Amino acid sequence: MNTHKVLVIEDEPALARLAQEYLTRDGFDVTTAADGERGLALARELEPAVILLDIGLPRLDGLEVCRAVRSFSDAYVIMLTARGDELDKIVGLSVGADDYLVKPFSPREVVARVRAMLRRPRTLPDGAAAARRFGELTVDPLGREVRVGERVVELTATEFDVLATLARSPNVAFSRTQLIESIWGPGWVGDERLVDVHVGRVRRKLGDDAGDPRFVRTVRGVGYRMGPG
Ligand code: CA
């Protein structure tokens, strides 16, 4: 049996304890860290599947931890942001986080979000394994590899899933809701702009221009699609 490791990096002891208690009860192997440096060291050492990461942390803040984690880990990162702080959310996502939770959150919400991350399919639906080409861009779902020409593009798990979902059905316009359901599962509750942030990151990494995109096209009033303009 495979017990998933979860690392909680949070400096408020009551919150960290609550998250640990609920996640442990749900069968996860939970470790906590109360500052950014310790959290980063544990992320390297333990190789957790999911990291819950507070933004405001002593020693090294959550954004720096997230950037550093991304240089060696493909773990799902869920940022914990201060109440109602929109800026924290968006900035948090631009450093490579997969998702976010706004404080105060219920422990049940934490467990649901972690489970939703791990429920995301790592296996592929029938007919979805073939690599797709869009001009210079190649998306290989089996190897989870993306190339532009000869250059391999490093995407996070969520960024890859967004691109692969679009690439699987060329010329089909996906709404933000459809993308969320396909990637996070139908139970996900949150801000649809999450999709825009991930698409923005994918475009930057592909060297695509949002104003005149070659790969991921914006369909006004709907969402996104791949394929010729
Ligand atoms: Ca804090």
Side-chain angles (χ1 to χ4, degrees):
M1 205 194 85
N2 187 13
T3 306
H4 289 292
K5 289 184 196 166
V6 179
L7 175 60
V8 178
I9 310 175
E10 166 64 65
D11 62 327
E12 288 169 55
L15 263 187
R17 233 184 356 255
L18 205 61
Q20 179 170 38
E21 191 187 311
Y22 274 74
L23 286 165
T24 303
R25 203 183 293 167
D26 209 59
F28 295 101
D29 176 4
V30 186
T31 307
T32 61
D35 71 70
E37 272 180 16
R38 176 85 184 126
L40 185 54
L42 285 172
R44 271 184 206 282
E45 191 185 315
L46 302 173
E47 298 178 359
V50 179
I51 301 173
L52 290 176
L53 178 57
D54 185 27
I55 289 188
L57 287 170
R59 300 176 81 86
L60 198 60
D61 76 33
L63 302 177
E64 291 173 81
V65 172
C66 189
R67 263 190 216 104
V69 161
R70 274 289 164 257
S71 69
F72 62 85
S73 167
D74 196 29
Y76 291 116
V77 177
I78 305 175
M79 303 288 304
L80 307 177
T81 75
R83 180 187 344 209
D85 197 330
E86 292 294 310
L87 189 67
D88 275 2
K89 279 189 214 170
I90 305 307
V91 172
L93 291 162
S94 75
V95 296
D98 293 283
D99 202 351
Y100 64 85
L101 270 172
V102 179
K103 295 178 181 182
F105 43 77
S106 73
R108 270 185 206 87
E109 233 181 317
V110 174
V111 172
R113 204 57 73 92
V114 170
R115 292 176 74 152
M117 283 281 152
L118 294 171
R119 223 179 19 238
R120 281 161 52 172
R122 293 290 186 162
T123 51
L124 296 161
D126 286 348
R132 302 271 184 192
R133 293 199 55 141
F134 302 87
E136 276 195 298
L137 171 67
T138 309
V139 181
D140 171 12
L142 272 188
R144 290 185 76 84
E145 189 180 80
V146 173
R147 271 178 289 124
V148 174
E150 293 303 304
R151 177 174 69 95
V152 174
V153 182
E154 299 286 344
L155 299 178
T156 67
T158 298
E159 289 159 10
F160 182 86
D161 290 342
V162 169
L163 183 61
T165 301
L166 291 168
R168 202 178 297 147
S169 307
N171 299 315
V172 173
F174 285 81
S175 70
R176 289 167 183 78
T177 310
Q178 283 172 320
L179 284 169
I180 284 170
E181 289 198 353
S182 139
I183 295 161
W184 283 271
W188 192 85
V189 179
D191 195 322
E192 290 195 351
R193 284 174 306 169
L194 188 66
V195 172
D196 302 325
V197 175
H198 286 297
V199 167
R201 289 176 52 84
V202 169
R203 276 178 173 157
R204 268 199 302 285
K205 290 182 177 180
L206 297 179
D208 210 357
D209 175 2
D212 181 23
R214 289 180 295 157
F215 306 127
V216 183
R217 292 170 200 288
T218 303
V219 183
R220 247 170 243 306
V222 182
Y224 299 98
R225 73 174 174 86
M226 303 284 288

